[in-house]
Amino acid sequence: MTETSNLFQLAVTLLQQLISIPSFSKEEDRTADLINELLQSHGVTTHRKLNNIWAWNKHFDPNKETILLNSHHDTVKPNSGYTRDPYDAKIEDGKLYGLGSNDAGGCLVSLIAVFLYFHDKENLKYNFCLATTAEEEISGVNGLELIIPELGQLSFGIVGEPTLMQLAIAERGLMVLDCTAHGRAGHAAREEGENAIYKALTDIEWFRSFKFPKESEVFGPIKMSVTIINAGSQHNVVPASCVYTVDVRVTDAYRNEEVLEIIREHVVSDVKPRSIRLKPSSIPKEHPIVQAGIALGRITYGSPTTSDQSLLDIPSIKVGPGDSARSHTADEFVYVDEIREGIELYIKMLESIN
């Protein structure tokens, strides 16, 4: 068997083992144990913080740039539509079934296999840092974000998420804003008070119609949607406050902090972001790793969904075996041939960059 064939068999077996172990977000200790033991059994020096495991290639050279290989081993909980045992990783008709098989198990085991392919090699053009992380499904603070300071200087990253091995060269960021328009209570029958709803309506119209000056080449304009509104307690009282929620999908044309500043300059409501952690991310189409994928027949696109890519401050590309349309679905599966293709394409892309 060739080296990649051996790695493919290792990846499939590892994925079946991972599926058999429940690993909901914040409960990934046993899958972390398994990944740690697997890497160590192949001579890899591993590092661990909570349920995150990371490692560098054997002949790490501090004078060379480092590529991050990242995917996650936590899963959502199985939905009620499952007709199969979500932890029974059977292969039928070329499909490997099980919770987390597609999101993001196929990507994870493929990147582990790729890391092992490069791990022992000398005179590599780049170093490699493998990070298998937790809490991605809940955007938790004890996943990739926790260990980024431990990973050292990184040149760019490959984030393993199911993309049919197409190249997501940009990903929208997300800010959820809790907004409050303030008025003054009064009796509705008299000319009393200051109606907070009317103040909120002016701001809501601004959210609906405002166009940010810069647009993303990949996504176009930033999208802002008012999704929840609540005000008033009874029919005859002018409300003193109106609370509403805005979903803001930030593009790679702006940083979250810039968007928040522009919003606050234009509305009278108090605006409080729940988080500014989920940043937009991108990598230039001219970047060598993107060009390597294009040369192998891959297409580029912008991803509307968020991932751990949003936590990185380096250029990164989201690419991996599997299909995001299968993520979080009942009777989730990944084709075993997708894993084989993923390993081979990752290696070809990485070997072709200068």
Side-chain angles (χ1 to χ4, degrees):
M1 296 179 71
T2 65
E3 184 176 5
T4 54
S5 293
N6 286 328
L7 290 170
F8 165 68
Q9 293 299 329
L10 178 150
V12 171
T13 300
L14 175 59
L15 181 52
Q16 289 179 299
Q17 292 171 327
L18 289 168
I19 289 168
S20 71
I21 304 170
S23 57
F24 308 137
S25 302
K26 295 183 178 290
E27 301 175 21
E28 314 96 339
D29 53 307
R30 292 172 59 206
T31 47
D33 291 343
L34 176 61
I35 293 166
N36 197 41
E37 291 166 5
L38 181 281
L39 291 171
Q40 289 181 356
S41 73
H42 284 78
V44 177
T45 299
T46 60
H47 307 266
R48 180 169 185 165
K49 196 167 191 178
L50 298 183
N51 295 327
N52 304 287
I53 308 294
W54 71 96
W56 290 279
N57 55 295
K58 183 175 181 179
H59 301 287
F60 183 92
D61 183 345
N63 296 313
K64 295 178 179 178
E65 295 182 338
T66 301
I67 301 171
L68 174 67
L69 308 178
N70 166 247
S71 192
H72 64 95
H73 57 100
D74 63 315
T75 73
V76 297
K77 294 186 177 180
N79 69 50
S80 59
Y82 263 84
T83 64
R84 312 172 65 96
D85 181 348
Y87 309 109
D88 185 10
K90 287 183 178 177
I91 298 174
E92 297 177 5
D93 299 323
K95 299 175 182 178
L96 199 168
Y97 286 93
L99 182 65
S101 56
N102 180 78
D103 183 15
C107 304
L108 174 70
V109 298
S110 296
L111 285 173
I112 289 173
V114 169
F115 176 77
L116 292 175
Y117 175 85
F118 288 108
H119 175 257
D120 293 340
K121 297 186 184 304
E122 299 186 47
N123 302 315
L124 293 170
K125 291 177 286 187
Y126 291 87
N127 297 310
F128 289 92
C129 176
L130 173 71
T132 68
T133 49
E135 296 192 10
E136 190 275 345
E137 295 291 2
I138 59 170
S139 299
V141 297
N142 289 320
L144 177 61
E145 185 175 34
L146 179 70
I147 66 168
I148 285 175
E150 314 282 350
L151 304 182
Q153 189 71 31
L154 301 168
S155 175
F156 68 90
I158 294 178
V159 177
E161 289 285 338
T163 69
L164 292 171
M165 287 304 292
Q166 306 302 341
L167 313 174
I169 61 171
E171 180 181 275
R172 289 186 187 270
L174 170 64
M175 283 196 301
V176 179
L177 307 178
D178 292 315
C179 305
T180 305
H182 296 282
R184 189 176 70 256
H187 198 295
R190 297 189 291 270
E191 294 297 323
E192 292 180 350
E194 187 177 11
N195 197 319
I197 291 176
Y198 298 154
K199 284 190 170 183
L201 285 175
T202 300
D203 287 349
I204 288 169
E205 173 58 23
W206 179 86
F207 279 112
R208 189 189 71 82
S209 59
F210 182 76
K211 303 296 182 186
F212 286 84
K214 294 187 292 184
E215 291 193 4
S216 164
E217 292 184 10
V218 179
F219 294 112
I222 288 174
K223 180 171 175 55
M224 299 190 291
S225 303
V226 177
T227 54
I228 304 172
I229 186 168
N230 187 37
S233 58
Q234 56 192 67
H235 75 90
N236 58 352
V237 177
V238 173
S241 66
C242 179
V243 178
Y244 57 99
T245 301
V246 187
D247 179 293
V248 184
R249 303 291 167 152
V250 184
T251 72
D252 53 306
Y254 289 90
R255 298 176 67 248
N256 284 356
E257 293 85 350
E258 293 177 286
V259 172
L260 182 59
E261 182 179 355
I262 292 169
I263 290 171
R264 283 174 168 165
E265 287 174 353
H266 285 83
V267 300
V268 299
S269 301
D270 290 339
V271 178
K272 296 182 179 179
R274 296 181 186 177
S275 171
I276 57 172
R277 294 168 54 242
L278 303 179
K279 305 182 291 286
S281 57
S282 65
I283 191 168
K285 196 170 183 178
E286 297 73 31
H287 193 284
I289 193 65
V290 179
Q291 289 299 309
I294 292 172
L296 291 166
R298 305 292 96 185
I299 63 169
T300 63
Y301 73 102
S303 173
T305 59
T306 57
S307 70
D308 274 349
Q309 191 177 16
S310 66
L311 303 173
L312 296 172
D313 285 321
I314 56 172
S316 58
I317 186 170
K318 185 164 68 176
V319 56
D323 186 346
S324 64
R326 297 183 217 131
S327 299
H328 306 177
T329 60
D331 299 335
E332 182 181 350
F333 68 89
V334 65
Y335 288 102
V336 291
D337 281 347
E338 290 176 324
I339 297 173
R340 185 193 303 275
E341 179 192 41
I343 295 170
E344 293 175 352
L345 281 170
Y346 280 139
I347 291 173
K348 288 178 181 178
M349 288 169 63
L350 289 164
E351 286 186 330
S352 67
I353 59 177
N354 296 317

